Amino acid sequence: MKSTTIPLGIFVALLCVLTVIIGPSASLAQHVHPSTPNGAPTVGAPAVAFDLKSLDGKLLNLETFHGKPLVLNFFASWCDPCRDEMPLINELASQGKKDGYSVLGVAVEDSRAAVSEFAKESQLAFPIALDLNNTVKRAYRIFGPPATFFIDGQGVLRDVVLGPVTRERALEALKKSGVISRN
């Protein structure tokens, strides 16, 4: 009996066509609410709203944190600079419980399994949202992790750090977000 196989090139082309026809797999768990005409985040303007699911299945969005400043950190488990800054982000999360602000990690360009393992291995002390189809990453105009956005309690973007954040830069951004730092 002769086996018939589809050449790899034709298979990839068919897959691309199906992706265009069907579209990306966006769902309520991954939704962006544009807040500016071009959707780009701007310091001094409302942060781009979103709906994402956390590792434990809870819906997380800007409203979840309304009334408290928010440190929104985009990261990936495979990203070495992200891994390097994670102890600082964890420290910020611990300090935030005392100082009245929250930290939310948004995993991008990653799988649920890899992020779960990374969160466990790094003992992350803050909620992790999964941006599985990179909808929120694109809305925040991030080309790659890490990136950290500092949002005040009214949902206004106050500062942005593209690339690894340092302790000094984080403290400066927290002050801009209305957080009185004890450090």
Side-chain angles (χ1 to χ4, degrees):
M1 178 177 217
K2 186 176 178 181
S3 169
T4 57
T5 59
I6 299 174
L8 182 60
I10 293 173
F11 177 75
V12 170
L14 287 172
L15 189 59
C16 289
V17 169
L18 284 173
T19 301
V20 170
I21 292 170
I22 296 170
S25 60
S27 67
L28 175 63
Q30 301 215 175
H31 187 75
V32 174
H33 313 276
S35 59
T36 58
N38 65 1
T42 305
V43 172
V48 178
F50 58 85
D51 295 310
L52 291 171
K53 286 212 175 169
S54 67
L55 277 176
D56 58 3
K58 294 179 184 168
L59 183 65
L60 296 172
N61 54 40
L62 286 180
E63 281 301 310
T64 305
F65 303 96
H66 189 74
K68 292 173 78 173
L70 175 64
V71 177
L72 186 64
N73 177 258
F74 290 84
F75 75 95
S77 66
W78 50 262
C79 165
D80 288 336
C82 300
R83 286 178 170 272
D84 292 344
E85 79 174 0
M86 219 30 80
L88 173 62
I89 303 299
N90 234 1
E91 184 180 317
L92 291 174
S94 295
Q95 188 65 37
K97 292 173 185 167
K98 298 173 194 160
D99 287 347
Y101 65 92
S102 298
V103 172
L104 174 62
V106 178
V108 298
E109 302 174 16
D110 223 330
S111 70
R112 175 183 297 275
V115 173
S116 294
E117 181 60 32
F118 176 65
K120 184 179 174 183
E121 161 192 314
S122 300
Q123 299 177 359
L124 299 183
F126 51 91
I128 304 297
L130 299 168
D131 189 14
L132 296 175
N133 63 12
N134 297 313
T135 304
V136 178
K137 175 189 156 209
R138 285 191 304 274
Y140 273 81
R141 303 293 201 258
I142 298 167
F143 295 105
T148 307
F149 293 76
F150 296 83
I151 302 166
D152 71 15
Q154 287 66 53
V156 175
L157 182 61
R158 293 299 175 190
D159 207 349
V160 177
V161 177
L162 298 177
V165 66
T166 63
R167 179 179 316 284
E168 295 75 27
R169 188 67 179 84
L171 293 176
E172 176 187 323
L174 285 170
K175 287 178 187 171
K176 289 180 184 179
S177 302
V179 174
I180 307 300
S181 178
R182 295 180 185 154
N183 295 340

